[in-house]
């Protein structure tokens, strides 16, 4: 396959960026999107040019590190991670726009690399449990209803990539926060910090400059882990209950 690429190039966080034209030639349709960039980078380096910087780690759809906006869509057209997107999805000769995730809370560091540490800081604010769980116990020693286990596992699938933020017109992180709060609120181990968790994570999210949900559903559409938007309803309920309790104390 031969493709025309328009790639966001930006020297550092302070400089202005711009789209630069490249041609990717003889790309195997079975190559992943990141492998296509690897091939292009090899050619750029052979010519003595600066390779394109982009984030990646596992390349298996697990870690959430890859993060490209492809033709205006976070992670591209097939609701998967960028590393699991294959070139056969595109047409030979197609022009592809490649940009970093766009959000005020995700500053561009270089080319296609953004700083998404704001999500880590939200997690640090409350997305954990403090109970000492010890070593693994028999699966049936802590009885958890199947519906609660399913809800928790579904929410725990979030890989923290930030595509939800990049896709949202408000740059809201509520799908990410809702997944974390839902995951832990459904389990007995998550009860001791349940109220504080919702308050701390939502307040940290606001402090980091993320917007609020206004029901565009774009986050759900691009989420590679298929986190349902109902986790945001859960988050709103958890936050309202925690706020009411805090006001009553
Ligand atoms: S590189 Fe790990 S999810 Fe894409």
């Amino acid at each position: 396959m031969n493709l025309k690429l328009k790639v966001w190039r930006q020297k550092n966080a302070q400089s202005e960026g711009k789209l630069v034209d490249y041609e990717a030639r003889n790309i195997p349709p079975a190559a992943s999107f990141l492998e296509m960039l690897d091939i292009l980078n090899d050619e750029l380096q052979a010519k003595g040019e600066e390779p394109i910087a982009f984030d990646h780690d596992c390349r298996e759809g697990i870690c959430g590190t890859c993060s490209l906006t492809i033709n205006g869509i976070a992670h591209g057209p097939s609701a998967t991670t960028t590393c699991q997107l294959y070139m056969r999805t595109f047409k030979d000769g197609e022009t592809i726009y490649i940009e970093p995730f766009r959000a005020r809370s995700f500053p561009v560091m270089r080319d296609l690399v953004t700083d998404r540490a704001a999500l880590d800081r939200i997690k640090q604010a409350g997305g954990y449990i403090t109970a000492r769980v010890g070593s693994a116990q028999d699966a049936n020693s802590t009885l958890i209803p199947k519906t609660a286990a399913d809800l928790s596992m579904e929410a725990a699938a979030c890989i923290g990539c930030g595509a939800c933020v990049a896709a949202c017109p408000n740059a809201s992180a509520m799908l990410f926060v809702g997944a974390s709060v839902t995951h832990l609120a459904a389990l007995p181990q998550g009860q001791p910090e349940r109220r504080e968790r919702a308050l701390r994570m939502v307040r940290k999210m606001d402090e980091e400059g993320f917007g609020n949900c206004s029901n565009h559903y774009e986050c759900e559409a691009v989420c590679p882990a298929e986190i349902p938007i109902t986790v945001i309803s859960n988050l709103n309920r958890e936050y309202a209950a925690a706020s009411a309790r805090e006001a009553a104390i």
Side-chain angles (χ1 to χ4, degrees):
M1 299 175 74
N2 296 317
L3 302 149
K4 295 184 176 63
L5 307 180
K6 291 183 180 291
V7 183
W8 187 262
R9 302 298 314 256
Q10 184 172 330
K11 209 171 174 53
N12 54 46
Q14 287 73 42
S15 63
E16 285 197 3
K18 63 175 182 182
L19 288 170
V20 177
D21 290 340
Y22 295 98
E23 293 207 359
R25 296 188 199 87
N26 302 319
I27 304 296
S32 74
F33 202 86
L34 298 187
E35 287 166 343
M36 181 274 292
L37 289 177
D38 290 339
I39 293 169
L40 176 61
N41 273 347
D42 284 346
E43 286 179 15
L44 292 178
Q45 281 181 299
K47 288 191 284 186
E49 294 180 29
E50 197 65 35
I52 300 160
F54 60 91
D55 270 329
H56 60 97
D57 190 0
C58 71
R59 297 199 177 203
E60 293 181 345
I62 299 167
C63 72
T65 307
C66 56
S67 55
L68 301 180
T69 301
I70 301 164
N71 288 342
I73 303 171
H75 286 312
S78 57
T80 183
T81 53
T82 301
C83 63
Q84 294 296 296
L85 176 66
Y86 291 90
M87 297 315 296
R88 56 179 172 266
T89 312
F90 300 90
K91 295 191 187 76
D92 190 30
E94 189 172 340
T95 299
I96 306 175
Y97 288 76
I98 309 171
E99 297 173 80
F101 275 3
R102 301 288 190 191
R104 188 175 54 170
S105 303
F106 293 167
V108 177
M109 306 305 288
R110 183 184 176 91
D111 294 341
L112 303 170
V113 176
T114 55
D115 178 359
R116 285 168 285 162
L119 297 183
D120 297 334
R121 291 190 288 272
I122 295 173
K123 272 278 186 195
Q124 286 166 355
Y128 53 81
I129 61 168
T130 54
R132 292 184 182 276
V133 292
S135 53
Q137 304 169 4
D138 274 354
N140 58 1
S141 61
T142 305
L143 296 178
I144 299 171
K146 176 80 165 67
T147 48
D150 285 349
L151 175 66
S152 183
M153 286 296 286
E154 183 179 48
C158 172
I159 57 173
C161 63
C164 49
V165 176
C168 176
N170 309 327
S172 171
M174 289 183 74
L175 197 77
F176 168 78
V177 178
S180 194
V181 165
T182 301
H183 162 210
L184 295 173
L187 298 176
Q189 295 90 336
Q191 300 313 306
E193 300 93 4
R194 182 172 177 172
R195 302 296 179 214
E196 288 72 23
R197 178 180 305 115
L199 293 175
R200 287 190 195 145
M201 291 187 82
V202 168
R203 286 169 185 168
K204 190 68 180 168
M205 176 181 73
D206 291 344
E207 188 186 310
E208 293 286 350
F210 293 99
N212 283 315
C213 173
S214 51
N215 297 320
H216 287 271
Y217 285 60
E218 297 290 339
C219 54
E220 187 184 64
V222 299
C223 177
E226 298 181 345
I227 302 293
I229 201 160
T230 48
V231 298
I232 296 181
S233 316
N234 289 339
L235 173 63
N236 287 335
R237 277 195 294 275
E238 292 288 323
Y239 184 75
S243 300
R245 188 153 178 258
E246 185 184 52
I249 293 173

